[in-house]
Amino acid sequence: MRPPRLRAAAASPPLPRRRLCTDAAAATSSAASSSPSPPQQGAAQPLSVQFARPLAARGPAVSDDLASNLRALLASSPTHPRAFPLLRSAALQARLPPDALVDAVLSAADAGSPAAAALLSSLLACLSRAARDCSAATAAYARMVARGVVPDAKSRTDLLVVMARGASTADALALFDEMRAKGYHADAMMYDAVMRACVRGGMHGEAVRLFDEMASAGVKPDECVYSLIIAALCKLHDVDRALQVLGEMREAGIRPWDPTYNYMVDALMKAGRMEEALQVKDQMLLAAGKKMDVVLATTLMHGYCLHGEVGKALDLFDEVVRDGLAPTNVTYGVLIKGCDAEGMIDKAYELCRQMIEQGLLSSAYEFNMVIKGLLRDKRWEDAIGLLEVVVDTGVLDVYTYNCLIHWLCKHHKLHEALNVWDKMKEKGVKPSIVTYHSLLLGYCEKGHMDEALKLYSEMPGKGFTPNEVTYTTLMKGYIKKNSFDKAYALLNEMHQHGVSCNDYTYNILINGLCMVNRVCEVDGMLKRFISDGFVPTAMTYNSIINGFVKAGMMGSAFAMYQQMWEKGITPNIVTYTSFIDGYCRTDCCDLAVKLLNDMRRKGIRPDIAAYSAFINGFCKQGNMSYALQFFVLLLKDGLKPNVIVYTSFITGYKNLRMMEEASRFYYSMLKEGIVADTATYTTLIDGFSKAGNVAFALDLYSEMLATGNIPDDKTFTALIHGLCRSGDIDGAKKLLDEMRRLDVAPNIFTYNMLINAYIRDGKLQDAFQLHDEMLNRGVVPDDTTYDILVGLKPVEASPADAENPA
């Protein structure tokens, strides 16, 4: 007869999960009906009742009921289909501790029985797959091993996989090694699981160790294991062993997967073994009986680019496109990076345009690379044009905008920088403090200090706290405008806002005082800074010495040099170069030569700046033979002349009206791969304009713009001077309009030359309009201006002759 409690439970419709327990009770009843049972002291409740209780109310009775029900089920059949669902319900719903689950099974079946092994293996697999972490599964496994049960390979594999994901690869590896040490069987799937975890965790050497152990364990690798170990060996740069394993894989009759071949090709390419990489590629295509896909092609392109063979990579790209394959964003990224590394910015630009047209630009990385390349080549208009093409895609980041804004501000393109800034705000890209610093630099370079201060005042409201870079940028702006007192006032503002003043800030102010010709005050300022804790460096003294030198105060410069020694600061090449420059400026080149010899005795090798000072000094004196002698010495010392050296020679010959010699140095400079700068072009333009060859001067101006050099007021003054002297006043007026377009402020000499030309041609109204314009632009007329306008007669000598614009 059925026990009363179980009969009562069966009388009402049970919930689905309770059905397992009533079935177990029924099985118990049928198993017990064949033999008499002892009187019941108190029948056990169904396990489902225990599951329905709050966690705090559950006790050992749950484990006891689980054990009794399992005994009943297994007694009726060692493979009863209800046994594992009951165990799983206890594990996942009742959440019995792992030890209790294992003990309940082993109380129902012997540890060495197939039933126990099967049930516990299923339990281990269940716990491994169901839990978020591996703690329950690990505890259950430990209990099983302690009780003498070895779960099957599949469940142990599940445990190792979840352990590698939830705990660590090292823990999974240690457990696997422990299993192997105990002599537990391991199959290829288990090795694959642990090796995969090792490769994923960067433990490539351990993966190789496990692979080497497989042979002694009698386990044959499958395609998964072979692929994993080849990937690991490639990561370890053991290309020879990877090739060996690839050969073993083919000999075993296993066809490598395409990714395996790709790994191999990539590793060989990176090792510079191009021929072998191409052989593996051919083997892959022959084995698969198909054409090269875009992944393999991209791998080969990457290899070519890594070894500087970008031309071959581009040829392969063309072949891929001809074969109808669609390049991916990775393909374009590899080629753009390769072209950028080789300075092939035109091709990188072309590839970027293709990438954009095909909708493959998914990140700003490649785009930023092309933008930086264009800016290096001074192709800022192309850079802005490229920005306009993709500005609506949402791909661009703050770094993209910062690159453009900083370059434009640094190269006096403030108007264009502000346009990019407006676009940035319009597209909702949040600026960084770098953006603000770049714009501050732009305003300061242009001398627009009011706008700079307005931007500075906006920073805190936008979440950016001004720092030492902010303040030093503003200081340099004021110093450039000869407003040193305003620059110095910022020092107090820094202290008020808790911004630390570093050595760079102090040196900026000391150097600024020298730049505004107030070098006599520098000693007092230096003492004040020292009292604030500033420790002067060689840079500090070099700035002061250079200031005295430029002011022609060589005695004071030498006194500072002695103070430098007294402070224990050793003069360096910059110190000596300043003195050499000063002696050459004051026509004391003999003293400069004596100092040069003294430097050599002290073991100080003159650098390019020292030689430039000598060459520039002799060129200004018109002593070209001595300048050429130092040019030869420069070459003998293994130094390469720079644009400053060549421009000094060009200036020297220009002043001697020897433009043929000046041109010879210019073309020699270009032949050496040295790029002419604004000063070089301005000197040549001035020389040819004064020589009456205005047409060639205009050609040089066009070349200057084409090479990305930005003309300044001296460039325009030289050209306008030449056009006015040749009678082309309309051409000169167009250049004045060009100055406005390029945001270059005309100087007093520019206006005087044009006014003089208008007076000479009898165009009085135009002359007076120019006078009004110069007043509106803040240019103060000088005596020459009024001499021309009051006398209504052109001056005999052009104003530009009185002040050499170059």
Side-chain angles (χ1 to χ4, degrees), residues 2 65 85 184 186 199-200 338 381 420 509 608 634 735:
R2 190 180 285 181
D65 285 347
Y184 297 167
V199 171
R200 188 171 56 244
E381 290 173 312
V420 175
L509 290 170
I608 192 68
L634 180 154
L735 281 176

Side-chain angles (χ1 to χ4, degrees), residues 5-19:
R5 286 185 182 275
L6 294 179
R7 186 168 56 246
S12 60
L15 293 173
R17 72 178 183 184
R18 294 180 178 177
R19 177 66 183 273

Side-chain angles (χ1 to χ4, degrees), residues 443-465:
Y443 282 127
C444 291
E445 286 291 320
K446 283 289 187 180
H448 300 165
M449 296 310 297
D450 290 341
E451 288 85 350
L453 283 178
K454 182 180 177 184
L455 187 68
Y456 157 74
S457 64
E458 290 176 4
M459 288 177 66
K462 299 293 183 181
F464 300 107
T465 304

